[in-house]
Amino acid sequence: MATKAGDETNGYTFQWKIENISHCWLKRGQKIVSPTFIAETLEGAKWSLWLYPKGYADENFITFYLRRECDWDEPALVAANYQLAFLGKDGSFLKENSSSKYIFDRNGWSVVVTEEREKVFLAERAVFLPEDTLTVQCTIWNKGEKPVEPKHLSARTVFKVNRRSFVWRIDKFSTLKPGVRNNFKDDLIDFDLVVNETIDLTKTLDLNIISFNKSIQYFSFKTSFVDTEGEKEDSGDMYVIEYFDYDFKPGVSSTL
């Protein structure tokens, strides 16, 4: 049974979901901050989770930690027990870190929880990112053992994604002259697909992008060949091009 402080539990579990995490455009050293939550039995201190999708110092890792928010109306130092974890789809702990009687000053932070990006986004993606959603959790309490029934709090952050798909049938491709163009446009982006030819007669597909929408932070373009049965070729033959906000100028070109 959970330890009580008056009529309140002495523990809190804050679960944070980040949806469409694979479309995150942040670079190394840039963070996502969760909504703030308050632990009344820990001097009323305010807390948040800070997550670095491409690491704080090393972009090969994804890291997060617990941060105490600065509030001059609260005590200068707060002692707390905590447990931080990456969660799987079934709520299991995939990677966790715990500490007892950890002292947080104003703007203080916990020990960092770290996992390899290759493991999270590729090797064990189905485990870490069900439906492209990363879940991290913090349990924090003020005394005794970890509470059995802590008060549950939750929040989510969503990376907004707009998806478009289209098929371009190019007849007589082998004898096609360079410069054949197909334009695609919607309210967010305008781009041309242009079939060209190199000096050694190799066909190339050039992508010319024009975007005037300042809200776009990230753009991913995937191409694949479709056979006569309408089936896509396997992922080994799929090409992926990525652009970030700093790539977008009045026009951006890329060759696939």
Side-chain angles (χ1 to χ4, degrees), residues 4-214:
K4 300 288 184 178
D7 293 330
E8 297 179 346
T9 178
N10 82 316
Y12 299 81
T13 291
F14 177 70
Q15 191 174 102
W16 183 27
K17 293 181 178 292
I18 303 99
E19 299 179 14
N20 297 325
I21 184 69
S22 64
H23 295 279
C24 174
W25 61 83
L26 299 179
K27 297 180 288 185
R28 176 174 56 84
Q30 295 182 322
K31 63 185 178 295
I32 312 170
V33 179
S34 77
T36 299
F37 63 97
I38 301 174
E40 295 291 351
T41 56
L42 286 162
E43 309 289 353
K46 301 176 180 65
W47 310 84
S48 61
L49 298 179
W50 288 24
L51 181 128
Y52 293 81
K54 289 192 175 180
Y56 180 78
D58 188 339
E59 64 182 18
N60 293 313
F61 293 87
I62 179 171
T63 62
F64 82 98
Y65 59 80
L66 174 65
R67 174 90 171 191
R68 181 190 170 195
E69 302 295 323
C70 181
D71 190 331
W72 293 100
D73 293 329
E74 299 168 3
L77 301 176
V78 173
N81 306 308
Y82 70 82
Q83 181 183 56
L84 304 177
F86 288 103
L87 298 188
K89 184 177 182 179
D90 58 357
S92 60
F93 286 10
L94 302 176
K95 183 73 173 289
E96 67 94 18
N97 180 45
S98 302
S99 184
S100 299
K101 298 180 180 179
Y102 194 89
I103 304 299
F104 290 87
D105 58 12
R106 297 186 182 98
N107 280 332
W109 58 86
S110 70
V111 175
V112 173
V113 183
T114 300
E115 188 56 275
E116 296 178 8
R117 281 181 53 84
E118 191 277 337
K119 184 176 182 179
V120 174
F121 289 90
L122 294 174
E124 298 184 24
R125 180 184 179 88
V127 177
F128 279 90
L129 303 180
E131 299 180 355
D132 202 18
T133 298
L134 177 71
T135 303
V136 296
Q137 179 173 288
C138 166
T139 297
I140 186 170
W141 66 101
N142 62 356
K143 59 184 178 181
E145 298 296 323
K146 179 182 176 183
V148 177
E149 297 179 358
K151 181 177 181 180
H152 283 269
L153 307 169
S154 63
R156 70 171 184 161
T157 297
V158 180
F159 284 94
K160 184 178 179 181
V161 177
N162 287 286
R163 293 182 173 87
R164 304 288 189 273
S165 64
F166 53 87
V167 176
W168 184 14
R169 179 186 174 91
I170 307 175
D171 294 322
K172 300 180 180 179
F173 183 77
S174 60
T175 59
L176 198 66
K177 293 183 179 180
V180 175
R181 180 182 302 265
N182 201 342
N183 177 260
F184 298 88
K185 180 188 297 186
D186 62 18
D187 56 339
L188 291 177
I189 203 161
D190 182 358
F191 60 92
D192 290 321
L193 289 173
V194 185
V195 177
N196 282 317
E197 193 172 80
T198 61
I199 296 176
D200 61 359
L201 303 182
T202 299
K203 291 284 195 304
T204 65
L205 183 61
D206 295 336
L207 172 64
N208 300 319
I209 302 172
I210 300 176
S211 173
F212 299 100
N213 192 313
K214 294 182 179 180

